[in-house]
């Protein structure tokens, strides 16, 4: 209670004091550019993914635009030590995405390199993924995908330098006959999810779908 008085929770958008368990005030929330994509049909993320690898379905919660509130929200999650933002963002997803009777078999979040994980103190996708797992009753595995190399965040790179690298990821164990939903924060070129997707697809009879918090196309 004392900490709440000394350090009240403030809206990411306008900095006004808000309730402790929310991220933005009502007015700023109305200004967020949600995508309203159809997970089961063509949308810009799925179309881009299909140019890189066979994709079952794809979804992005928000548009990741220059100087936008969605960009501020992502940066709060990744760089401002606000891990609980992941739970709020996952709840925004559950309000919009219905898997119906075609739920994936497993949720797999994009990992951080151990060096970056130690520096940040948490993986920004873990609480997000766990909240989705609990709501949709789909198991998750944070350790299925292993990051072999420490690379600079895609969102911080100049677009001219966002190039595909090989052998960045590998699987920690064999998977077969699974439909895996790969979860990432920001979709830019698609190189990250593509690298992971091919590791999964090169195994026996697997399928992949994509869910990202924001898309920057």
């Amino acid at each position: 209670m004392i900490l709440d008085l000394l350090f009240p929770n403030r809206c990411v958008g306008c900095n006004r004091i808000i309730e402790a368990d929310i991220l933005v005030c009502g007015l700023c929330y109305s200004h967020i550019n949600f995508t309203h994509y159809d997970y089961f049909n063509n949308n810009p993320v799925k179309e881009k993914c299909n140019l890189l690898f066979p994709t079952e379905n794809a979804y992005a919660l928000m548009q990741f635009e220059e100087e936008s509130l969605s960009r501020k929200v992502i940066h709060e999650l990744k760089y401002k030590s606000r891990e609980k933002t992941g739970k709020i963002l996952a709840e925004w997803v559950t309000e919009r995405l219905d898997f119906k009777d075609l739920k994936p078999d497993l949720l797999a979040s994009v990992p951080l390199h151990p060096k970056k994980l130690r520096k940040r103190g948490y993986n920004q996708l873990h609480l997000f993924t766990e909240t989705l797992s609990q709501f949709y009753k789909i198991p998750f595995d944070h350790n299925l995908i292993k990051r072999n190399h420490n690379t600079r965040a895609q969102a911080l790179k100049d677009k001219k330098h966002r190039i595909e690298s090989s052998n960045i990821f590998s699987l920690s164990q064999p998977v077969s006959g699974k439909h895996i939903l790969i979860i990432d924060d920001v979709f830019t070129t698609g190189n990250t999810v593509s690298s992971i997707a091919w590791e999964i697809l090169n195994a026996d009879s697997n399928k992949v779908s994509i869910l990202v918090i924001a898309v920057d196309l």
Side-chain angles (χ1 to χ4, degrees):
M1 180 66 71
I2 295 177
L3 288 177
D4 290 339
L5 292 174
L6 294 175
F7 305 101
N9 187 38
R10 293 184 178 273
C11 172
V12 173
C14 65
N15 205 41
R16 73 178 63 180
I17 296 175
I18 55 176
E19 297 175 26
D21 58 347
I22 63 176
L23 189 59
V24 295
C25 68
L27 179 60
C28 288
Y29 181 85
S30 68
H31 292 157
I32 295 176
N33 191 359
F34 292 106
T35 67
H36 305 291
Y37 287 166
D38 187 335
Y39 173 76
F40 293 104
N41 292 307
N42 281 339
N43 60 61
V45 175
K46 183 175 181 180
E47 290 171 1
K48 183 63 178 289
C49 286
N50 273 327
L51 295 175
L52 302 170
F53 58 90
T55 313
E56 297 298 313
N57 305 292
Y59 181 81
L61 176 65
M62 304 179 294
Q63 298 284 352
F64 191 73
E65 301 159 325
E66 294 289 342
E67 306 302 325
S68 67
L69 183 52
S70 61
R71 182 179 289 265
K72 291 181 180 179
V73 168
I74 295 293
H75 283 201
E76 288 288 316
L77 173 64
K78 296 181 67 173
Y79 309 118
K80 299 294 184 64
S81 300
R82 293 189 63 170
E83 184 179 9
K84 291 184 179 179
T85 299
K87 182 176 185 296
I88 298 171
L89 291 169
E91 290 170 350
W92 290 358
V93 171
T94 63
E95 293 168 0
R96 294 165 172 81
L97 176 58
D98 183 0
F99 288 114
K100 302 176 183 178
D101 296 325
L102 298 173
K103 294 193 298 185
D105 300 311
L106 183 69
L107 309 181
S109 55
V110 173
L112 294 177
H113 188 272
K115 182 178 180 180
K116 186 174 292 185
L117 181 61
R118 287 193 298 270
K119 181 179 180 180
R120 185 173 297 171
Y122 64 96
N123 183 315
Q124 71 274 9
L125 294 172
H126 282 186
L127 186 56
F128 178 81
T129 302
E130 291 160 16
T131 304
L132 295 178
S133 171
Q134 183 177 15
F135 180 85
Y136 292 114
K137 302 296 187 288
I138 303 171
F140 68 89
D141 188 345
H142 293 322
N143 300 313
L144 175 65
I145 305 162
K146 177 183 176 182
R147 184 184 287 269
N148 301 318
H149 304 290
N150 191 12
T151 57
R152 192 180 178 202
Q154 290 287 329
L156 297 181
K157 293 180 182 179
D158 183 276
K159 289 186 178 181
K160 293 181 180 179
H161 296 92
R162 293 171 185 166
I163 59 174
E164 184 173 4
S165 301
S166 60
N167 301 318
I168 294 178
F169 300 99
S170 59
L171 298 184
S172 63
Q173 62 191 51
V175 288
S176 177
K178 297 292 185 180
H179 181 188
I180 298 177
L181 183 67
I182 302 170
I183 296 176
D184 201 3
D185 45 31
V186 181
F187 184 102
T188 51
T189 63
N191 290 334
T192 296
V193 292
S194 178
S195 298
I196 294 171
W198 280 115
E199 292 294 328
I200 296 170
L201 292 169
N202 284 334
D204 185 34
S205 302
N206 290 315
K207 299 185 294 186
V208 296
S209 291
I210 303 299
L211 189 157
V212 295
I213 299 174
V215 57
D216 179 14
L217 294 176

